[in-house]
Amino acid sequence: MPKLLIVSSDGPKYMEIFAREAPELECKHFKADDPTVADFVREMDFLYAWYFPPELVKDAPRLRWISSTGAGVDNVMAAREWLPKGVPVTRMVHVFDVAMAEYVLGHLLAV
């Protein structure tokens, strides 16, 4: 069974979504104090995250894909020296269009 590690403050919500939409995945929500995380990381296939400790992926030989939950991948690239070669990194596209436009407009009006 493929394994997905979710590193997000919205982890419980994502866990529900993945359980419903991709029940074939074994999902785990990252918690820094969870002693089982290291074993899970060694066996994970996918990482769904925005901010995560870069050294988290240091021992992730099975990692096949990282999906950034943000619009950019800067935080993921902070871990590039530990990523297995060839791991694709994707990001969210057009998810934040309206929210960002409202944010910028609000800032312009406030200035």
Side-chain angles (χ1 to χ4, degrees):
M1 174 180 284
K3 294 185 176 192
L4 168 70
L5 183 64
I6 299 168
V7 184
S8 171
S9 58
D10 291 324
K13 182 168 79 173
Y14 290 136
M15 292 282 290
E16 288 177 26
I17 293 168
F18 281 110
R20 183 181 63 244
E21 302 297 329
E24 68 280 5
L25 291 176
E26 180 182 342
C27 298
K28 182 173 194 65
H29 179 213
F30 172 82
K31 294 181 184 141
D33 61 350
D34 181 347
T36 66
V37 166
D39 289 336
F40 195 88
V41 166
R42 278 190 287 280
E43 297 178 356
M44 76 176 169
D45 299 281
F46 313 111
L47 177 62
Y48 189 69
W50 175 233
Y51 287 104
F52 62 93
E55 64 278 0
L56 178 70
V57 296
K58 187 188 282 188
D59 190 19
R62 288 181 44 181
L63 186 59
R64 296 188 285 156
W65 175 38
I66 297 175
S67 180
S68 171
T69 60
V73 296
D74 297 358
N75 298 312
V76 177
M77 291 297 95
R80 70 180 161 266
E81 69 183 81
W82 291 300
L83 291 175
K85 287 225 180 272
V87 172
V89 176
T90 57
R91 63 187 179 89
M92 299 294 165
V93 178
H94 301 301
V95 174
F96 305 106
D97 291 353
V98 172
M100 187 55 69
E102 291 172 351
Y103 172 80
V104 170
L105 181 60
H107 182 73
L108 290 172
L109 293 172
V111 175

